[in-house]
Amino acid sequence: MVLISIPDSSTMINLYSNSTASCSSSVPRIGSRICVDFKPVSVRALGSGRRLCGSIRCEAQSDSDSLSMSNSASVSALQMLKTSAAGRYTKEKSGLIVVGLNFHTAPVEIREKLSIPEADLPQAISELCALNHIEEAAVLSTCNRMEIYVVSLSQHRGVKEITEWMSKVSGVSVSDIRSHQFLLYEKDATKHLFEVSAGLDSLVLGEGQILSQVKHVVKVGQGVPGFDRKISGLFKHAITVGKRVRTETNISSGSVSVSSAAVELAQMKIPENSYDSVRVLVVGAGKMGKLVIKHLIAKGCKNMVVVNRSEDRVSALREEFNDVEIVYQPFSELMSCASNSDVVFTCTASETLLFSKDQVQTLSKAPTQRLFVDISVPRNVESCVSDLEATQVYNVDDLKEVVEANKKDRLRKAEEAQLIISDEVREFEAWKDSLETVPTIKKLRAYAERIRESEMEKCLARMGGDISKKNQKAIHELSKGIVNKLLHGPMQHLRCDETEGRSLNEIIENMHALNRIFGLEMEISILEEKIRSKMEKSQV
């Protein structure tokens, strides 16, 4: 018994009849066509009780009648099986995908579990590209988003593999990830990254920090296998878009970062909306901490305590802002400093809580309400701290209150930026499409070569076996010459040669036309080979 499973239930290959008629009457003669039944069938797997939908059972008979047609029928069946199996991939487009979760779709409780430390990003790229259907990859992990950009050999299988990988490394169930994730493909994925880089998809419009984070993806990806031509080109173009949007619009005016929004949010909550008489503590003097300190100074804060693991960065800030009193304290004094503060900003890369409910409960009471503004992901302050009397915790999701203050202005600036992004998306998509002309040339030549070889073999078979090697060579060269002459024109119209005066759009149109005329979209040999190679590597 041989079991053939075909994914597309609309194409059922019935090699042998399952009727009660005699075997000799149901078996086709040699050279006859194989009956193709287009009705979906449902059979049971041989030797098991599992039900298979859209599958078919091919029974290889052991008697002499069935053996008499085994050669031609088995070859035809094998060819049909190969074609149907190939359909699994041709019916699912390969290309660019983004699988992500951000502050629009997922709460911080989920995002913090999925965040990837900066040092682990190269390893994440390598692991993603080791998956069977992923060719290239990049990871954009920030406090507001966790987005994975890939070039996938199959959209459906690629998304499935990425989701399972995210679950494996984070401990979040696949079902939870799916309920919060978003999926974008091809042009929509390109547009999304350009909007992210431009600050249009940020919690605070025009946020400058996200552009730096996109740049960092490129920096980290350099030299990492899997951060290759298409993904690298996408992120580099996104950087160009981010710069252009900020230059040509006023999108970066006002509050343009998470850190500045955090400072504004705290200012809205403190007495008289002023930092003049408020005791401020900043935990962490890294990139985010430094930005918080700068925005505090810009808002009139003249005194603050900074807790950090080392004093070097704090000393550098003292030198930069010598007219502001910045007091350094080590992490061992964290609770003591918090006890003497009214507003506490936490902005560290710590993966563990710095302030639990029990710890905060032991702090001395503040004259008014004590505020914790936690802009760290993972969070540094336990959310239930807000349950304590005269204590309030705000995290990155609460910054929406600041954003809403300038909603009308944000929409106007976003409209201006979208025009720029639309232009840039068209330019990038044209560049990406131009990369496909080389595979099209290879597929067209392979298609022509298969026809040439097949027809030459038929010709030699009809001429008999007594044809001389000299004549065989002449026929071979004749067939090659005809193919080369016929391919010369189409090949020229696919090549980006400045001397020919063809535009990129014209070349791409020619490529799509040839794909349609010769059915080259169905040419899956390259795709199959890539998938087979990746699967073999994963099994080593």
Side-chain angles (χ1 to χ4, degrees), residues 4 39 73 81 91 102 214 243 257 272 311 335 373 456:
I4 300 179
K39 295 179 180 179
L81 175 60
K91 287 167 188 172
N102 58 27
V214 172
K243 290 178 179 178
S257 70
E272 300 180 6
E311 192 175 359
M335 291 302 157
V373 184
M456 192 181 77

Side-chain angles (χ1 to χ4, degrees), residues 33-196:
R33 293 185 178 180
I34 295 175
C35 174
V36 179
D37 177 14
F38 291 94
K39 295 179 180 179
V41 298
S42 178
V43 301
R44 291 189 180 276
L46 305 183
S48 76
R50 291 187 299 120
R51 194 165 183 79
L52 301 177
C53 295
S55 299
I56 183 165
R57 184 175 62 188
C58 300
E59 300 179 6
Q61 307 293 338
S62 59
D63 57 23
S64 57
D65 288 336
S66 61
L67 289 172
S68 66
M69 48 74 70
S70 61
N71 289 338
S72 61
S74 62
V75 170
S76 299
L78 200 60
Q79 186 61 39
M80 295 176 78
L81 175 60
K82 182 178 179 183
T83 303
S84 64
R88 290 179 298 175
Y89 297 102
T90 57
K91 287 167 188 172
E92 282 196 76
K93 289 183 66 180
S94 61
L96 180 64
I97 307 174
V98 56
V99 180
L101 297 91
N102 58 27
F103 68 96
H104 296 299
T105 68
V108 67
E109 292 87 352
I110 297 292
R111 300 199 309 270
E112 66 186 2
K113 293 177 182 177
L114 290 162
S115 66
I116 297 178
E118 180 180 319
D120 295 341
L121 290 176
Q123 181 183 344
I125 294 172
S126 298
E127 289 181 5
L128 285 165
C129 291
L131 300 175
N132 287 336
H133 295 85
I134 306 302
E135 278 195 296
E136 302 182 29
V139 179
L140 179 60
S141 181
T142 74
C143 61
N144 281 329
R145 67 189 71 249
M146 164 57 171
E147 298 176 0
I148 297 176
Y149 294 79
V150 301
V151 173
S152 176
L153 298 172
S154 165
Q155 286 185 351
H156 172 70
R157 289 168 176 80
V159 169
K160 181 176 183 292
E161 290 174 353
I162 293 167
T163 304
E164 290 173 350
W165 177 85
M166 292 171 77
S167 176
K168 179 182 176 182
V169 300
S170 67
V172 180
S173 68
V174 169
S175 60
D176 281 345
I177 292 175
R178 284 176 176 164
S179 66
H180 291 99
Q181 76 182 177
F182 66 89
L183 307 173
L184 294 171
Y185 305 94
E186 296 293 359
K187 187 183 292 185
D188 290 334
T190 300
K191 183 173 183 286
H192 174 72
L193 180 59
F194 289 0
E195 289 173 343
V196 169

